[in-house]
């Protein structure tokens, strides 16, 4: 989720703040399949507390134009009966988006073209049709100005050891640590985390939800590593990567740890 | 210019007070005018270890509160020239320490002494913070054991963020590691962390390794700094550490199990 913090109005009877929440995405593959809700229900029963009144965003990316829920309002009501609270949709055709909007859902910005036949995630310009402008992002309040924040230098560099009990947060950027990170220390970054020494504490990259964030370290002995909320504790670390130079990233929703060679 | 040294560890029971007494005595024996201050307000121990508990009239807190003059509270050691003890109060608590009060006393002591050694209480709360705040050097006392190492790491973080040198953005406090209660035989058996393991985690220079020694407990109980027990290995280790602190190159010892000779076994010489 991308949050746009607006100008704060100090005298107003309210405060507007940007914030980040982790929200589940329900990817719709065949919403009209009769087994859709029975299967969903059995999934929910595995962890009823986790799913109870959980906000979800419906992902329509994988759907064909004709395959959307026949009746969005009906679909939303049924989801609510299953204790899920749909708050918005992602992707979909204009018609689907309108229908969702009618059903009280918002359109979440995806940062990618709303409907492109080819699905090029991260690769920039080359794969895109020349006539296609930049992917629709959150509407820029400054009109036509270029998306400056993408080029803002926000990398934070720490040259000394990070001792137990210390917490370092690199907001809106990467965190580079050149000394060892002790057990009991915590590294947080909205972007990537690089540790050019032993990583014995916790490292949480992409904490605002950037699933492309990665963690690199010279010796993986971490208590916990996490990318965009997906985490693994040291007990579950594979012995093959322990004390190795490792690169950690998300691959199709899984936390992958590969040796750097 | 007088130097302020803090003996600290985070964890309790690792040998801060023993090391403070031994180290201060070692410095004094080398001819430096040294004072050792007990910052453990409410848990007065240093005077016992130094064997001067029966001579305590006024204490550190009295001086901070202006109830006594500094030289009324300072106790001169009877065995070693140049060695003084500033005992603490057993009846007050750590709130009796204030930055201003401590600073005033340290400034006064600096005029007279070469080294001011602050014996820190355990923890990372007020007492420990006051003990380390004005330090130029920090000796981190660590046992070869994971929880002690973790706490030492924490206190190193505190030194790097909350000392006066850190706050004023001056050159950082110089850190030294003193590994105490080291038992090479247990290290070989894998019961204890190796020196290298500890150094790898803490990444600060090693000042010395003090072997686990029966002489330490004996010395504590008779109120004699172990540096005065000429036969013990602990004494040698502290003497070496003092020499290294003063910039001399002394090879590290007591890191490997001693080869017990026939005579040793026969006499069962204590460490």
């Amino acid at each position: 989720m991308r949050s746009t913090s607006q100008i704060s109005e100090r005298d107003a009877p309210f405060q507007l703040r940007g914030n980040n929440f982790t929200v589940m995405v329900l990817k719709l593959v065949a919403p009209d399949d009769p087994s859709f809700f029975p299967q969903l229900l059995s999934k929910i029963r595995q962890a009823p507390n986790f799913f109870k009144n959980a906000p979800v965003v419906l992902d329509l990316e994988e759907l064909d134009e004709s395959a959307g829920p026949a009746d969005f309002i009906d679909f939303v009501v049924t989801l609510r009966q299953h204790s899920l609270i749909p708050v918005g949709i992602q992707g979909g055709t204009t018609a689907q988006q309108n229908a969702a909007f009618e059903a009280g859902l918002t359109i979440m910005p995806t940062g990618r073209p709303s409907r492109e036949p080819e699905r090029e995630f991260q690769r920039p310009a080359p794969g895109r049709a020349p006539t296609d402008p930049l992917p629709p992002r959150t509407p820029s309040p400054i009109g036509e100005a270029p998306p400056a924040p993408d080029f803002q230098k926000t990398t934070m560099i720490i040259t000394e050891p990070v001792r137990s009990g210390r917490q370092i947060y690199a907001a809106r950027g990467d965190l580079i640590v050149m000394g060892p990170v002790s057990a009991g220390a915590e590294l947080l970054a909205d972007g990537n985390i690089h540790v050019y020494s032993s990583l014995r504490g916790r490292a949480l990259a992409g904490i605002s939800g950037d699933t492309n964030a990665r963690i690199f370290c010279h010796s993986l002995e971490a208590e916990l590593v996490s990318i965009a909320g997906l985490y693994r504790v040291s007990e579950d670390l594979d012995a093959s990567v322990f004390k190795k130079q490792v690169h950690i990233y998300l691959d199709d929703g899984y936390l992958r740890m590969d040796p750097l060679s | 210019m007088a130097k302020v040294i803090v003996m600290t560890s985070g964890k309790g029971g690792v040998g801060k007070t023993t090391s403070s007494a031994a180290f201060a005595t070692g410095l004094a024996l080398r001819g430096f005018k040294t004072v050792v201050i007990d910052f453990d307000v409410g848990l007065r121990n240093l005077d016992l270890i130094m064997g001067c508990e029966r001579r305590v009239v006024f204490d550190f807190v009295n001086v901070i509160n202006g109830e006594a003059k500094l030289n009324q509270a300072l106790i001169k050691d009877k065995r070693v020239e140049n060695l003084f003890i500033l005992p603490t109060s057993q009846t007050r608590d750590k709130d009796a320490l204030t930055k201003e009060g401590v600073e005033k006393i340290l400034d006064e002591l600096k005029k007279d002494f070469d080294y001011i050694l602050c014996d820190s209480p355990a923890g990372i709360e007020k007492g420990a913070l006051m003990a380390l705040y004005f330090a130029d050097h920090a000796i981190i006392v660590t046992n070869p054991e994971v929880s002690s190492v973790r706490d030492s790491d924490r206190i190193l973080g505190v030194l790097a963020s909350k000392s006066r040198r850190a706050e004023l953005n001056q050159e950082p406090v110089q850190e030294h590691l003193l590994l105490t209660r080291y038992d090479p035989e247990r290290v070989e058996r894998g019961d204890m962390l190796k020196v290298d393991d500890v150094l790898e985690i803490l990444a600060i220079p090693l000042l010395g390794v003090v072997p686990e020694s029966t002489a330490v407990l004996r010395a504590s109980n008779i109120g004699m700094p172990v540096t005065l027990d000429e036969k013990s290995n602990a004494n040698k280790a502290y003497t070496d550490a003092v020499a290294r602190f003063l910039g001399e190159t002394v090879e590290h010892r007591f890191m490997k199990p001693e080869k017990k000779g026939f005579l040793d076994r026969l006499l069962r010489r204590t460490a």
Side-chain angles (χ1 to χ4, degrees), chain B residues 116-130:
Chain B
I116 302 164
L117 212 158
C118 305
D119 179 25
S120 170
I124 51 170
E125 286 80 29
K126 190 156 187 194
L129 290 180
M130 284 297 130

Side-chain angles (χ1 to χ4, degrees), chain B residues 86-146:
Chain B
L86 184 54
T88 194
S89 163
Q90 179 75 351
T91 52
R92 311 290 182 85
D93 60 32
K94 266 66 171 181
D95 291 332
L97 299 174
T98 60
K99 246 180 215 176
E100 299 71 32
V102 173
E103 184 174 25
K104 209 174 123 244
I105 294 182
L106 291 181
D107 283 345
E108 211 173 326
L109 289 170
K110 276 180 185 174
K111 288 179 211 150
D112 233 16
F113 287 88
D114 298 312
Y115 288 105
I116 302 164
L117 212 158
C118 305
D119 179 25
S120 170
I124 51 170
E125 286 80 29
K126 190 156 187 194
L129 290 180
M130 284 297 130
L132 66 79
Y133 186 73
F134 297 97
D136 302 306
H137 293 264
I139 300 178
I140 312 297
V141 185
T142 306
N143 288 168
E145 175 251 331
V146 284

Side-chain angles (χ1 to χ4, degrees), chain B residues 7-67:
Chain B
M7 191 73 75
T8 188
S9 70
K11 194 173 171 60
V14 295
K16 282 182 297 298
T17 302
T18 303
S19 298
S20 294
F23 207 82
T25 308
L27 284 169
L29 285 170
R30 294 290 299 260
F32 295 101
K33 195 167 181 192
T34 306
V35 57
V36 52
I37 308 176
D38 191 348
F39 272 78
D40 204 349
V41 183
L43 296 165
R44 201 182 87 193
N45 283 165
L46 180 70
D47 49 321
L48 289 171
I49 308 291
M50 296 292 295
C52 64
E53 74 278 9
R54 293 194 295 176
R55 293 198 283 147
V56 176
V57 184
F58 295 109
D59 58 51
F60 189 30
V61 176
N62 291 139
V63 184
I64 288 179
N65 294 343
E67 294 151 5

